[in-house]
Amino acid sequence: MAGQAVRAEAAGGQGLLVLRGVTKRFGGLVAVQGVSFAVAEGETVGLIGPNGAGKTTLFNVITGAVAPEGGEIRLGGERIDGLRPHEIAQRGVRRTYQIVRPFPNLSLLDNVLIGSLFGGTGRAGEAARERAREMLAFVGLTDKAAMLARDLNLAEKKKLELARALASGPQLLLLDEVLAGLNPVEIDRSLALLAEIKGRLGTTIVMVEHVMRAVLRVSDRVVVLHQGEKIAEGRPEVVAGDPRVIEAYLGERVG
Amino acid sequence: MPSRLRPTPLLLALAFLAFLAVPAFQDESMTSFCFRLLELVAMTYSLNLITGYLGYVDFGHIVFYGVGAYTTALLLSGGVALHPALLILPGGAAALLFGLLAGYPALRLRGAYFAIATFSINEAMKAVVLNVDWLGGSEGIPLARYIRLELTTAYYVLLGIAAAVAAFSYTAVRQKFGLGMLAIREDEDVAEALAIDTTRYKLLTYALSGAVAGLAGGIVGLAHVYVSTEYFDVGKSIEMFVIMMLGGAGTALGPLLGAFLYFLIKDFLILRSPHLHLVIFGLIIVFIVLFLPAGLVGYLRERSGRLRALLE
Ligand SMILES: Nc1ncnc2c1ncn2[C@@H]1O[C@H](COP(=O)(O)OP(=O)(O)OP(=O)(O)O)[C@@H](O)[C@H]1O
Ligand SMILES: [Mg+2]
């Protein structure tokens, strides 16, 4: 434990995203407790843990949707905790939602266009539109560009959110269970997409995921949360064999 | 996308050209009927910005109309010698400023809380006007001795306001500002997470739509050479809502079509059933809310993707 903490500190020095002792309470419930870790530029970190471990809450804290009670969060060395969500987004942080939230009554193109227009991308007019079309093509939704987002199925909505998040060319992408609810074929397709985002765009990614096969395949490193606390961190194949991690998951399955 | 025939701007242009031709008939009652129609068209377009596009229900939108009308009237009675068409500009500016000041706290509220706040803002302003002597109190401010404004002049000014806000509505949603408003309507938290400064957008939209209503209030006050607390009458706010819902909230054609429909139905009902027309009208509104919640244009847009591309 101590050794890991030291390593996280060390990585913290030059990480793109650095969390130090982040804590978030909801009334008496401690959803996130003193969590520290760092994500280096270009890295893909898997954030895993049983239901209610605090993964989504951690995303909400990083993006400024909820304010943490303690700790600090740095992006590129600069404190971002305490900033308003749009200010954090302005610095290149984008996310997707566990329960999808596309703009339901807008066309797919407008959904992604909004992503490409805002956030100091410098894109306007036709350039922004072109970028939006590119992103729709990237996730394979070109044919449906004129449809309303609410008429898509779940897999398509998740892809749309991904396109919308990518449209601004984010530095840091937070993916909250982009694979949940997809069938195996769709999962493979989405994994190929993620590999491309990582490889071609070089985007730094933190992904919350329950599909273990996916986490192990895509992540460079894994952080494990359990009841709000970080219980393990390291290379995916090592963490997957960690007795505490197994216990956390088993405990969930049995209890 | 290949440029193809766009019926929406064409329809809008035709309708406003028809309005432009009205005074040429030199029929006083027709011009004054169309003046009333244009007033509701302009006001509904203005409401549509904050409620249809931004998604914030504004039950007190009429307050801007009152602020604009009173500012213009006070300047006129205070001896400011400007051409009447220019006299409404400070009215619009006052409404804009009022929107910024009132909107700053009110727009922290969402949903029904905001709607109630706007209602209260209007009632508060109405009470202020009623109780402050130099604002005319319950007597209002008669303007006939300061000005004699041709109806035709007022008509053209109002037409200009209505056409401008309609054109703005049509073009805005293809641009950054309009898409920002729509994003906030659809999901404010997501909009913020996409780097949209929602506070700024909301405040600007509220104040801007207020300015339009303020200009309209100013010119109507001058045309009627009288302003009173009637200009804060929430009944007119409701009328605007009905028109917006009839035509289709959040569409560029909705307020125009809605206003025509509104007058058609209302006149028809008054002729057919002079005693019960309000009751029947109420039932029609309930019917629309239940079965056509998106209004006429919204309903047609939902029918098919083709219609969606044609009607905006
Ligand atoms: N807004 C909130 N108000 C109160 N409690 C909350 C709120 N958001 C989350 N919680 C609680 O915080 C804890 C952590 O929830 P969170 O959604 O972060 O877990 P998670 O790891 O994302 O779980 P899952 O895998 O089920 O998505 C849970 O006990 C949850 O009930
Ligand atoms: Mg979650």
Side-chain angles (χ1 to χ4, degrees):
Chain A
M1 192 79 179
Q4 266 163 3
V6 171
R7 244 180 295 148
E9 280 301 291
Q14 62 285 73
L16 173 68
L17 174 73
V18 180
L19 278 69
R20 236 184 232 121
V22 173
T23 296
K24 174 69 210 171
R25 288 187 208 93
F26 292 110
L29 178 92
V30 187
V32 175
Q33 166 102 52
V35 169
S36 305
F37 65 88
V39 182
E41 205 160 337
E43 200 181 17
T44 297
V45 169
L47 183 60
I48 65 170
N51 291 112
K55 307 179 295 290
T56 299
T57 303
L58 199 56
F59 275 10
N60 287 339
V61 170
I62 296 170
T63 54
V66 301
E69 269 85 39
E72 58 173 70
I73 303 170
R74 286 175 192 274
L75 185 75
E78 205 187 326
R79 285 282 290 262
I80 57 166
D81 51 287
L83 293 184
R84 296 197 26 222
H86 78 268
E87 296 169 323
I88 295 173
Q90 203 89 37
R91 286 164 170 73
V93 179
R94 288 293 181 282
R95 70 176 295 184
T96 66
Y97 296 86
Q98 182 172 358
I99 297 160
V100 285
R101 292 171 85 168
F103 298 129
N105 302 304
L106 301 187
S107 71
L108 273 60
L109 186 66
D110 280 349
N111 263 272
V112 183
L113 184 54
I114 288 167
S116 79
L117 277 170
F118 290 92
T121 57
R123 276 186 216 95
E126 203 40 47
R129 225 163 259 279
E130 192 47 45
R131 170 79 178 177
R133 282 192 210 104
E134 265 172 42
M135 288 300 115
L136 277 177
F138 180 67
V139 300
L141 286 174
T142 300
D143 296 346
K144 307 199 163 171
M147 276 174 70
L148 296 185
R150 64 172 186 211
D151 294 328
L152 298 179
N153 65 35
L154 179 67
E156 291 165 337
K157 282 179 182 163
K158 293 206 162 186
K159 285 186 181 156
L160 176 61
E161 274 201 350
L162 199 57
R164 184 176 66 183
L166 284 171
S168 66
Q171 291 203 67
L172 174 66
L173 187 58
L174 307 174
L175 304 176
D176 200 348
E177 305 205 15
V178 273
L179 304 176
L182 304 192
N183 66 40
V185 179
E186 291 164 345
I187 288 183
D188 280 335
R189 259 191 233 134
S190 292
L191 280 178
L193 265 184
L194 290 188
E196 220 177 316
I197 293 170
K198 210 176 134 170
R200 208 176 75 181
L201 308 176
T203 312
T204 308
I205 302 174
V206 179
M207 61 184 288
V208 167
E209 200 45 79
H210 280 297
V211 182
M212 269 305 171
R213 165 172 81 88
V215 177
L216 298 180
R217 197 163 118 195
V218 190
S219 314
D220 301 312
R221 217 151 42 83
V222 171
V223 170
V224 189
L225 289 186
H226 181 44
Q227 294 177 353
E229 289 182 75
K230 184 176 88 177
I231 58 165
E233 175 177 2
R235 297 189 54 78
E237 58 279 7
V238 179
V239 167
D242 188 319
R244 273 168 311 177
V245 175
I246 294 169
E247 195 190 325
Y249 274 93
L250 279 182
E252 186 201 25
R253 233 171 279 159
V254 176
Chain B
M1 218 167 279
S3 66
R4 54 168 175 261
L5 181 71
R6 294 198 174 279
T8 306
L10 198 68
L11 277 170
L12 287 174
L14 284 176
F16 284 110
L17 280 175
F19 273 121
L20 191 64
V22 166
F25 292 95
Q26 303 205 324
D27 175 342
E28 179 93 4
S29 74
M30 180 172 158
T31 308
S32 89
F33 173 78
C34 286
F35 184 79
R36 166 110 180 94
L37 186 57
L38 273 177
E39 182 193 343
L40 283 171
V41 168
M43 288 299 288
T44 308
Y45 269 111
S46 146
L47 173 70
N48 194 35
L49 290 178
I50 177 87
T51 301
Y53 291 123
L54 191 83
Y56 272 70
V57 173
D58 184 358
F59 280 141
H61 198 63
I62 199 69
V63 75
F64 296 114
Y65 179 83
V67 167
Y70 268 84
T71 307
T72 301
L74 285 170
L75 289 174
L76 183 63
S77 62
V80 175
L82 270 180
H83 186 276
L86 293 178
L87 213 49
I88 67 169
L89 292 178
L96 184 91
L97 191 67
F98 184 81
L100 292 174
L101 293 175
Y104 189 74
L107 286 162
R108 287 161 188 263
L109 304 170
R110 290 190 189 183
Y113 298 100
F114 175 78
I116 292 167
T118 59
F119 182 80
S120 317
I121 289 168
N122 181 57
E123 292 306 304
M125 277 307 284
K126 191 172 166 180
V128 167
V129 170
L130 260 179
N131 291 301
V132 174
D133 284 344
W134 59 271
L135 289 176
S138 55
E139 309 269 284
I141 308 173
L143 299 170
R145 67 188 145 113
Y146 308 104
I147 194 177
R148 167 146 296 158
L149 184 61
E150 291 283 329
L151 175 63
T152 318
T153 310
Y155 180 91
Y156 285 130
V157 172
L158 186 58
L159 176 59
I161 297 168
V165 63
F168 177 79
S169 305
Y170 174 73
T171 48
V173 292
R174 326 163 161 270
Q175 283 155 9
K176 193 170 176 177
F177 189 80
L179 284 166
M181 297 193 311
L182 294 179
I184 292 169
R185 175 190 76 192
E186 293 292 298
D187 192 326
E188 191 167 335
D189 297 325
V190 173
E192 190 144 26
L194 288 168
I196 298 175
D197 186 347
T198 53
T199 307
R200 202 173 119 235
Y201 266 71
K202 281 153 56 181
L203 209 51
L204 276 177
T205 307
Y206 187 60
L208 204 73
S209 72
V212 173
L215 291 171
I219 196 66
V220 172
L222 292 182
H224 294 170
V225 287
Y226 178 59
V227 302
S228 70
T229 50
E230 284 285 296
Y231 281 75
F232 293 94
D233 177 23
V234 105
K236 202 172 259 171
S237 263
I238 298 192
E239 223 173 5
M240 281 145 49
F241 259 90
V242 169
I243 292 173
M244 188 179 68
M245 305 278 303
L246 271 173
T251 67
L253 278 174
L256 185 70
L257 286 179
F260 279 113
L261 273 177
Y262 177 76
F263 275 94
L264 271 179
I265 299 173
K266 203 165 130 178
D267 284 1
F268 177 81
L269 287 177
I270 289 177
L271 282 178
R272 283 303 169 95
S273 159
H275 303 296
L276 282 176
H277 79 272
L278 278 177
V279 175
I280 301 175
F281 203 67
L283 288 175
I284 292 177
I285 304 305
V286 171
F287 175 85
I288 290 167
V289 171
L290 285 177
F291 298 105
L292 279 181
L296 184 66
V297 178
Y299 173 75
L300 292 173
R301 279 171 63 84
E302 279 171 9
R303 296 292 293 178
S304 80
R306 224 183 104 66
L307 281 175
R308 198 179 308 131
L310 295 179
L311 301 173
E312 295 165 64

Short mmCIF file of all heavy atoms in Angstrom, two decimals, chain A residues 2-14 18-20 36-38 221 230 233:
data_model
loop_
_atom_site.label_atom_id
_atom_site.label_comp_id
_atom_site.label_asym_id
_atom_site.label_seq_id
_atom_site.Cartn_x
_atom_site.Cartn_y
_atom_site.Cartn_z
N ALA A 2 1.81 1.29 0.94
CA ALA A 2 2.67 2.46 1.04
C ALA A 2 3.47 2.64 -0.25
O ALA A 2 3.59 3.74 -0.78
CB ALA A 2 3.62 2.32 2.24
N GLY A 3 4.01 1.52 -0.75
CA GLY A 3 4.79 1.57 -1.98
C GLY A 3 4.00 2.14 -3.13
O GLY A 3 4.48 2.98 -3.88
N GLN A 4 2.73 1.72 -3.21
CA GLN A 4 1.88 2.21 -4.29
C GLN A 4 1.63 3.70 -4.17
O GLN A 4 1.64 4.43 -5.15
CB GLN A 4 0.54 1.48 -4.28
CG GLN A 4 0.57 0.29 -5.22
CD GLN A 4 -0.56 -0.67 -4.93
OE1 GLN A 4 -1.38 -0.41 -4.07
NE2 GLN A 4 -0.56 -1.76 -5.63
N ALA A 5 1.40 4.12 -2.92
CA ALA A 5 1.15 5.54 -2.69
C ALA A 5 2.33 6.36 -3.17
O ALA A 5 2.17 7.38 -3.82
CB ALA A 5 0.88 5.80 -1.21
N VAL A 6 3.53 5.87 -2.86
CA VAL A 6 4.74 6.59 -3.27
C VAL A 6 4.82 6.66 -4.79
O VAL A 6 5.09 7.70 -5.36
CB VAL A 6 6.01 5.90 -2.70
CG1 VAL A 6 7.26 6.51 -3.30
CG2 VAL A 6 6.03 6.03 -1.18
N ARG A 7 4.52 5.54 -5.43
CA ARG A 7 4.57 5.54 -6.89
C ARG A 7 3.56 6.52 -7.49
O ARG A 7 3.84 7.21 -8.45
CB ARG A 7 4.30 4.12 -7.43
CG ARG A 7 5.51 3.57 -8.17
CD ARG A 7 5.23 2.18 -8.69
NE ARG A 7 5.02 1.23 -7.61
CZ ARG A 7 4.19 0.19 -7.70
NH1 ARG A 7 3.48 -0.01 -8.79
NH2 ARG A 7 4.06 -0.63 -6.69
N ALA A 8 2.36 6.54 -6.90
CA ALA A 8 1.35 7.47 -7.40
C ALA A 8 1.82 8.91 -7.24
O ALA A 8 1.65 9.72 -8.14
CB ALA A 8 0.04 7.27 -6.63
N GLU A 9 2.45 9.20 -6.09
CA GLU A 9 3.02 10.53 -5.86
C GLU A 9 3.99 10.87 -6.96
O GLU A 9 3.94 11.94 -7.56
CB GLU A 9 3.77 10.57 -4.52
CG GLU A 9 2.93 10.74 -3.28
CD GLU A 9 2.09 11.99 -3.25
OE1 GLU A 9 2.67 13.09 -3.14
OE2 GLU A 9 0.86 11.90 -3.34
N ALA A 10 4.88 9.91 -7.23
CA ALA A 10 5.94 10.14 -8.21
C ALA A 10 5.33 10.43 -9.57
O ALA A 10 5.68 11.39 -10.24
CB ALA A 10 6.86 8.93 -8.27
N ALA A 11 4.35 9.60 -9.95
CA ALA A 11 3.70 9.80 -11.24
C ALA A 11 2.98 11.13 -11.23
O ALA A 11 2.90 11.81 -12.24
CB ALA A 11 2.71 8.67 -11.50
N GLY A 12 2.49 11.52 -10.01
CA GLY A 12 1.73 12.75 -9.87
C GLY A 12 2.49 13.98 -10.32
O GLY A 12 1.89 14.92 -10.80
N GLY A 13 3.77 13.94 -10.16
CA GLY A 13 4.57 15.10 -10.52
C GLY A 13 4.34 15.57 -11.94
O GLY A 13 4.11 16.75 -12.17
N GLN A 14 4.33 14.62 -12.89
CA GLN A 14 4.23 15.07 -14.29
C GLN A 14 2.99 14.55 -15.01
O GLN A 14 2.92 14.58 -16.21
CB GLN A 14 5.53 14.77 -15.06
CG GLN A 14 5.97 13.31 -15.20
CD GLN A 14 6.56 12.73 -13.93
OE1 GLN A 14 5.82 12.46 -13.00
NE2 GLN A 14 7.87 12.49 -13.88
N VAL A 18 -3.90 14.86 -12.11
CA VAL A 18 -3.39 14.40 -10.83
C VAL A 18 -4.44 14.64 -9.75
O VAL A 18 -4.91 15.77 -9.56
CB VAL A 18 -2.10 15.16 -10.44
CG1 VAL A 18 -1.60 14.66 -9.09
CG2 VAL A 18 -1.04 14.98 -11.51
N LEU A 19 -4.82 13.56 -9.06
CA LEU A 19 -5.76 13.69 -7.95
C LEU A 19 -4.99 13.44 -6.66
O LEU A 19 -4.18 12.51 -6.58
CB LEU A 19 -6.86 12.63 -8.05
CG LEU A 19 -8.05 12.93 -8.97
CD1 LEU A 19 -7.63 12.93 -10.41
CD2 LEU A 19 -9.16 11.93 -8.73
N ARG A 20 -5.25 14.29 -5.67
CA ARG A 20 -4.59 14.10 -4.38
C ARG A 20 -5.59 14.17 -3.25
O ARG A 20 -6.18 15.23 -3.01
CB ARG A 20 -3.53 15.19 -4.19
CG ARG A 20 -2.17 14.57 -3.93
CD ARG A 20 -1.07 15.56 -3.65
NE ARG A 20 0.03 15.26 -4.54
CZ ARG A 20 0.54 16.11 -5.41
NH1 ARG A 20 0.05 17.32 -5.50
NH2 ARG A 20 1.54 15.75 -6.18
N SER A 36 -6.18 9.26 -4.43
CA SER A 36 -5.06 9.88 -5.14
C SER A 36 -4.61 8.97 -6.27
O SER A 36 -4.45 7.77 -6.06
CB SER A 36 -3.86 10.08 -4.19
OG SER A 36 -4.24 10.82 -3.06
N PHE A 37 -4.47 9.52 -7.43
CA PHE A 37 -3.76 8.83 -8.51
C PHE A 37 -3.47 9.82 -9.60
O PHE A 37 -3.95 10.96 -9.57
CB PHE A 37 -4.53 7.60 -9.02
CG PHE A 37 -5.84 7.88 -9.70
CD1 PHE A 37 -5.89 8.15 -11.06
CD2 PHE A 37 -7.02 7.87 -8.98
CE1 PHE A 37 -7.10 8.40 -11.69
CE2 PHE A 37 -8.24 8.11 -9.61
CZ PHE A 37 -8.28 8.38 -10.96
N ALA A 38 -2.66 9.41 -10.56
CA ALA A 38 -2.29 10.32 -11.63
C ALA A 38 -2.44 9.60 -12.96
O ALA A 38 -2.34 8.38 -13.04
CB ALA A 38 -0.86 10.79 -11.45
N ARG A 221 -3.10 0.94 -17.41
CA ARG A 221 -3.03 0.82 -15.97
C ARG A 221 -4.44 0.79 -15.43
O ARG A 221 -5.37 1.29 -16.09
CB ARG A 221 -2.29 2.04 -15.40
CG ARG A 221 -1.38 1.79 -14.23
CD ARG A 221 -0.23 2.81 -14.22
NE ARG A 221 -0.70 4.15 -14.53
CZ ARG A 221 -1.24 4.97 -13.64
NH1 ARG A 221 -1.36 4.62 -12.37
NH2 ARG A 221 -1.64 6.17 -14.00
N LYS A 230 -9.41 3.96 -2.81
CA LYS A 230 -8.59 3.26 -3.78
C LYS A 230 -7.96 2.06 -3.07
O LYS A 230 -7.29 2.22 -2.07
CB LYS A 230 -7.50 4.18 -4.32
CG LYS A 230 -6.68 3.54 -5.42
CD LYS A 230 -5.67 4.50 -5.99
CE LYS A 230 -4.38 4.45 -5.19
NZ LYS A 230 -3.33 5.32 -5.77
N GLU A 233 -3.84 -0.39 -7.51
CA GLU A 233 -3.49 0.36 -8.71
C GLU A 233 -2.33 -0.35 -9.36
O GLU A 233 -1.42 -0.82 -8.66
CB GLU A 233 -3.09 1.79 -8.34
CG GLU A 233 -2.61 2.60 -9.52
CD GLU A 233 -2.27 4.04 -9.14
OE1 GLU A 233 -2.37 4.40 -7.96
OE2 GLU A 233 -1.91 4.79 -10.05
#
